[in-house]
Amino acid sequence: MASHKKTKKFESGDFSISHEPFYLPQGTEIDLFEAAYANKLPVLLNGPTGSGKTRLVEHMAWRLGLSLYTVACHDDLSANDLTGRYIIKGDEVQWIDGPLLMAVRNGGIAYLDEVVEARKDVTVVIHPLTDHRRYLPVEKKGKIFRAPGEFMLVISYNPNYQSVLKELKPSTRQRFISINLGWPAEELEIKIVCQESGTDVNTAEKLVKAANRIRNLVHQGLEEGVSTRELVYAGTLMKRGLPVGDSLRATMIEPLTYDGDLKKSIGEVLKNYFSF
Ligand SMILES: Nc1ncnc2c1ncn2[C@@H]1O[C@H](COP(=O)(O)OP(=O)(O)OP(=O)(O)O)[C@@H](O)[C@H]1O
Ligand SMILES: [Mg+2]
């Protein structure tokens, strides 16, 4: 069997980021990220949906000149999906690298999005990559692969989603440099909304001010506050000339809750800033 095996190696260039992704820092996250990379330490990004985790990783990959291998984790994702597998092609058995092995072989950032969703064996394969050992065990090949200096592991975690059963274990959490992203300060978020949606400052300001009031409704049962992403969407629709009410309903009301009373409350907050 061994004589038929072929190893397929992917080009790292396929995953490089050529243009600077716009990212406005909320605090010292860029410095923290750079320091982690320089010291070969893994990073854990904590933050609610739409708070800029993915954008930060894209920006840092560009800044550090690294390829980016992103994996959206789900409850069926196993260690083999990350490391690779043999496939049969004609009468040959071919080895296909998984995204984590690609990053370890070629150097680059491996970004495991929502890692707690994945199966337990994923934690087992990432542990030796997260401390001084920096190697990836690939059971199917019976080998370990040492990560080069240009390899970095980044995982994300949304504290609002996880149930008690799906918390990161302390032994995993404590291996990472933790970066917390929340909602950006008002003036920063206005700039982000303007830049990303192309809307004017006045509209962006009203969207952000309304969002900050809606975020307070979390105490009244709203699962997650309105995200920066949704403000960007609202600005984008209005900029395209869609009616204000339709734009707001489609981005800042409907996606937030199924609860009729909460929808009404959100609408009332928005009516303080927009007429619709
Ligand atoms: N600090 C920021 N600088 C620039 N853009 C930002 C920033 N924060 C959020 N955004 C905007 O919000 C959008 C959503 O951000 P992003 O996709 O990074 O969120 P996320 O935290 O990865 O969310 P999820 O948990 O749902 O994956 C981005 O596409 C961008 O338009
Ligand atoms: Mg993301």
Side-chain angles (χ1 to χ4, degrees):
M1 190 191 193
S3 60
H4 295 290
K5 278 179 197 166
K6 268 191 184 169
T7 297
K8 189 165 180 183
K9 195 173 172 199
F10 287 78
E11 294 300 322
S12 57
D14 297 347
F15 297 88
S16 64
I17 295 175
S18 52
H19 299 292
E20 178 177 355
F22 168 70
Y23 183 77
L24 207 58
Q26 297 181 12
T28 55
E29 64 268 33
I30 291 183
D31 298 337
L32 275 171
F33 204 111
E34 277 180 338
Y37 176 65
N39 289 286
K40 301 192 177 65
L41 297 172
V43 160
L44 160 62
L45 296 176
N46 295 293
T49 183
S51 60
K53 301 182 294 295
T54 296
R55 183 59 71 86
L56 172 61
V57 178
E58 289 168 349
H59 178 83
M60 293 312 299
W62 171 82
R63 192 178 261 262
L64 298 167
L66 298 171
S67 296
L68 177 59
Y69 302 84
T70 300
V71 182
C73 299
H74 52 80
D75 56 7
D76 218 17
L77 186 105
S78 68
N80 290 336
D81 295 319
L82 295 179
T83 54
R85 51 171 42 98
Y86 287 107
I87 58 158
I88 298 176
K89 218 172 177 190
D91 57 355
E92 282 193 341
V93 178
Q94 263 192 17
W95 172 260
I96 303 284
D97 283 355
L100 186 56
L101 181 55
M102 280 190 231
V104 168
R105 278 194 206 258
N106 302 324
I109 297 177
Y111 179 39
L112 308 184
D113 208 356
E114 296 292 339
V115 74
V116 277
E117 293 296 329
R119 290 207 211 158
K120 290 272 177 295
D121 61 347
V122 166
T123 319
V124 177
V125 298
I126 65 171
H127 265 204
L129 269 179
T130 56
D131 52 35
H132 63 281
R133 294 173 289 170
R134 283 175 63 88
Y135 70 71
L136 174 66
V138 180
E139 201 190 324
K140 292 222 156 157
K141 275 184 143 333
K143 271 195 195 169
I144 61 168
F145 291 82
R146 296 207 177 274
E150 302 75 36
F151 170 81
M152 182 176 194
L153 180 67
V154 179
I155 64 173
S156 77
Y157 182 76
N158 180 339
N160 297 335
Y161 286 165
Q162 269 72 48
S163 63
V164 186
L165 286 174
K166 284 197 167 169
E167 281 200 337
L168 277 178
K169 283 194 304 183
S171 59
T172 305
R173 217 167 49 222
Q174 291 187 16
R175 287 160 189 263
F176 291 81
I177 297 288
S178 202
I179 296 179
N180 289 339
L181 298 179
W183 308 128
E186 196 170 288
E187 14 6 306
L188 290 180
E189 200 166 25
I190 293 169
K191 282 191 190 149
I192 294 171
V193 174
C194 283
Q195 170 72 28
E196 291 285 292
S197 69
T199 191
D200 58 280
V201 183
N202 184 33
T203 305
E205 189 174 345
K206 288 194 286 185
L207 287 170
V208 171
K209 281 190 190 301
N212 282 329
R213 286 186 55 188
I214 293 167
R215 285 165 186 161
N216 290 330
L217 297 175
V218 168
H219 308 294
Q220 291 178 32
L222 195 62
E223 222 173 295
E224 285 219 359
V226 58
S227 72
T228 307
R229 175 189 287 130
E230 279 154 331
L231 303 188
V232 170
Y233 287 170
T236 304
L237 296 185
M238 287 189 212
K239 167 85 183 158
R240 268 189 74 96
L242 271 104
V244 172
D246 291 352
S247 303
L248 295 174
R249 268 187 289 275
T251 56
M252 292 175 69
I253 302 180
E254 293 300 330
L256 294 196
T257 180
Y258 292 117
D259 183 301
D261 290 338
L262 271 172
K263 279 186 199 176
K264 242 191 222 152
S265 309
I266 298 169
E268 274 154 26
V269 172
L270 285 165
K271 282 185 177 140
N272 289 312
Y273 299 91
F274 296 94
S275 12
F276 64 99

